[in-house]
Amino acid sequence: MQYCTHCKVQLLETRKHCPLCGNSLKIEPDQNISESFPKIDSYIKGTGKLKLLLFLSVVIIILSFTVYSFFPTELNYPLLITLGMGSLWLDMIFLVKRRFHIPKKIVWQVFILAVLSLFWDWNTGWRGWSITYFIPFLYIIALLLMYAIAVIMKLNSRDYITYAFMSALFGILPVLFIMFEWVTVTYPSILSIAFSSTILSAIFILQWDSIKLEFQKRMHI
């Protein structure tokens, strides 16, 4: 039995520090340290994968500037990619620290950023960069971010599968940009459609039971 002189309480187990105030406790030579509280691992897992994602981000930025130096265009897309990657990592840090309902927050951020980009593009003379580049790549980044967060934090598929499904559906929307000829550069939209279609196929084939259960729960079926 130990006694904390600061909190004026007795402890049943033997500890180095008081669990209430952190004050150092006296330990007799013949006492064995025993703690009743289990050690809980950090919710952030897979630091190796996180480092790999950071390395890939740097490689993408370097490659974009390299390609741009050989094939310059009017649009400074390496700068956009750098800003996008910076935003991606800032989002990841924010979402990991505030880790509750992360997939839902990602979906809302995608929607808000898409609307803001359209508004900004419209109010600066409408050059079409929002639907040509920003929105298609935003959908791809959102899906990658959702997957990265799920892997790093070891989320259960049921925790993010519904929002991944919604994000993938958003990613197919650029097909309208091509159908109605709203864009002249089509490869970003095609990449978004292909990537989102792949994710949707994976969800339907591999996670159909999980998404069916989630929809039944949310629709109260």
Side-chain angles (χ1 to χ4, degrees), residues 119-157:
F119 179 78
W120 187 14
D121 195 2
W122 181 266
N123 282 273
T124 55
W126 187 257
R127 297 183 179 181
W129 56 264
S130 57
I131 61 175
T132 302
Y133 298 101
F134 185 81
I135 292 179
F137 285 124
L138 177 64
Y139 293 144
I140 295 175
I141 289 173
L143 287 169
L144 289 174
L145 179 61
M146 193 174 298
Y147 174 75
I149 293 291
V151 170
I152 292 168
M153 297 183 62
K154 299 290 184 181
L155 295 180
N156 188 290
S157 62

Side-chain angles (χ1 to χ4, degrees), residues 45-106:
K45 304 290 184 178
T47 54
K49 294 178 180 179
L50 187 63
K51 291 179 180 179
L52 177 61
L53 289 172
L54 179 60
F55 173 72
L56 290 176
S57 300
V58 174
V59 169
I60 290 172
I61 292 173
I62 293 173
L63 284 176
S64 66
F65 278 100
T66 303
V67 173
Y68 182 75
S69 64
F70 285 111
F71 307 100
T73 61
E74 294 182 1
L75 178 67
N76 189 1
Y77 59 87
L79 180 60
L80 294 177
I81 292 175
T82 303
L83 293 174
M85 288 296 178
S87 300
L88 172 66
W89 281 99
L90 287 175
D91 270 351
M92 184 176 292
I93 292 170
F94 172 79
L95 292 170
V96 167
K97 286 187 176 181
R98 301 178 180 271
R99 61 189 185 279
F100 301 106
H101 306 296
I102 289 178
K104 182 178 180 180
K105 290 180 180 178
I106 293 176

Side-chain angles (χ1 to χ4, degrees), residues 131 171-183 189 193:
I131 61 175
I172 297 179
L173 288 179
V175 72
L176 299 176
F177 305 162
I178 298 175
M179 287 178 58
F180 293 102
E181 299 181 351
W182 293 342
V183 294
S189 297
I193 296 166

Side-chain angles (χ1 to χ4, degrees), residues 143 163-173 196-197 199-200 203:
L143 287 169
Y163 297 105
F165 179 78
M166 292 170 61
S167 297
L169 284 178
F170 289 153
I172 297 179
L173 288 179
S196 299
S197 299
I199 296 297
L200 278 177
I203 290 173

